[in-house]
Amino acid sequence: MGVLDKIQALASDGRRIVVPLIDPDRFNPAILDSLVGRKRIPPAIFVGGSIVSADTDAVVRRIKSYVGDSSEVVLFPGDCSQLSSSADALLLLSLVSGRNPEYLIGQHVKSAPKIRRLGLEAIPTAYMLIDGGRATSVQYVSGTMPLPADKVDLSVATAMAAELLGFKMLYLEAGSGARVPVSSDIISAVRSSVSIPIIVGGGVRSAEAVGRAFAAGADIVVIGTALEQNPALANEFW
């Protein structure tokens, strides 16, 4: 069973997943030490960032040395350089909320031969950047504007278009270090409009925020910056 199959099965069963996002440039082993020590390893770990200078493959291999087969290590790449044959899968992200062809299809064309050569499971994922109250790295790097947080209909229409185009998952993203996470109103409206799994990330800093996202209809909630700033938060999420 592939990683996408496992995620779809968990979503169908109503299982909700909290996933740590590890930026290779900011990898802190203390996060994994805590999880492994308490035998509370999440079923998946995302690895990537908007701009990464560290060796992604080396970081993925190090993470795998901690978690073994207990967790799926999934690439969350900011560009075509962030690939690793040691990963279990790749979120093949297309920034459908923007109009920059480089992040709609350009990076994908550059990376496709290598993805095939590495034998990575690629999961077509529609990436929707939603205003989180401040300019974020992904907004700057991609050169795209986020969807307005108060225009729920735009998020819904974008999500519906992504599903019609054949994407297998949606990633609703407020951006790393967002002031506020994606709202429950947007998550709920999107959930009512599509049947594919929904990932929510950006600006999630507490168990209460995680709970609100799940209650609104998220299948996966991602924790990134909060864990980088305070690895002890792993005890709250897992």
Side-chain angles (χ1 to χ4, degrees):
M1 179 182 289
V3 174
L4 176 59
D5 294 329
K6 292 178 182 178
I7 291 173
Q8 291 172 329
L10 290 171
S12 296
D13 290 342
R15 171 89 178 272
R16 302 300 180 238
I17 309 168
V18 181
V19 172
L21 170 59
I22 295 176
D23 185 326
D25 287 343
R26 300 179 177 86
F27 174 51
N28 186 344
I31 297 172
L32 296 181
D33 283 333
S34 173
L35 296 174
V36 173
R38 295 183 300 111
K39 298 183 179 179
R40 296 297 301 271
I41 301 173
I45 295 172
F46 291 172
V47 180
S50 295
I51 298 177
V52 171
S53 59
D55 184 339
T56 298
D57 184 63
V59 173
V60 169
R61 284 188 277 107
R62 191 168 179 194
I63 293 171
K64 293 293 287 185
S65 73
Y66 275 88
V67 302
D69 295 327
S70 300
S71 183
E72 307 286 357
V73 179
V74 181
L75 298 175
F76 175 71
D79 59 46
C80 61
S81 69
Q82 298 175 36
L83 299 177
S84 167
S85 61
S86 304
D88 298 298
L90 158 76
L91 295 183
L92 192 58
L93 302 165
S94 183
L95 186 54
V96 298
S97 59
R99 299 297 181 266
N100 184 342
E102 184 65 14
Y103 293 93
L104 278 168
I105 186 62
Q107 288 289 324
H108 312 71
V109 173
K110 294 174 184 177
S111 61
K114 187 173 182 180
I115 292 171
R116 282 287 176 82
R117 187 167 64 251
L118 295 177
L120 281 169
E121 177 188 352
I123 303 173
T125 304
Y127 191 62
M128 294 172 51
L129 181 61
I130 297 166
D131 187 12
R134 66 170 48 162
T136 59
S137 296
V138 64
Q139 179 180 340
Y140 180 81
V141 170
S142 68
T144 64
M145 294 295 292
L147 292 164
D150 61 345
K151 305 293 184 184
V152 177
D153 57 332
L154 289 180
S155 292
V156 168
T158 302
M160 291 171 66
E163 184 174 42
L164 290 171
L165 283 166
F167 287 93
K168 302 301 182 184
M169 294 202 297
L170 286 174
Y171 200 123
L172 306 182
E173 170 74 282
S176 176
R179 184 171 288 114
V180 294
V182 178
S183 71
S184 295
D185 287 345
I186 289 178
I187 299 170
S188 178
V190 170
R191 176 73 287 161
S192 298
S193 304
V194 302
S195 59
I196 56 180
I198 296 173
I199 306 169
V200 174
V204 181
R205 299 182 179 85
S206 66
E208 291 76 16
V210 169
R212 287 193 295 270
F214 284 145
D219 298 291
I220 297 173
V221 175
V222 177
I223 311 293
T225 303
L227 278 179
E228 292 173 1
Q229 296 173 343
N230 182 10
L233 283 177
N235 297 324
E236 183 175 344
F237 299 121
W238 297 282

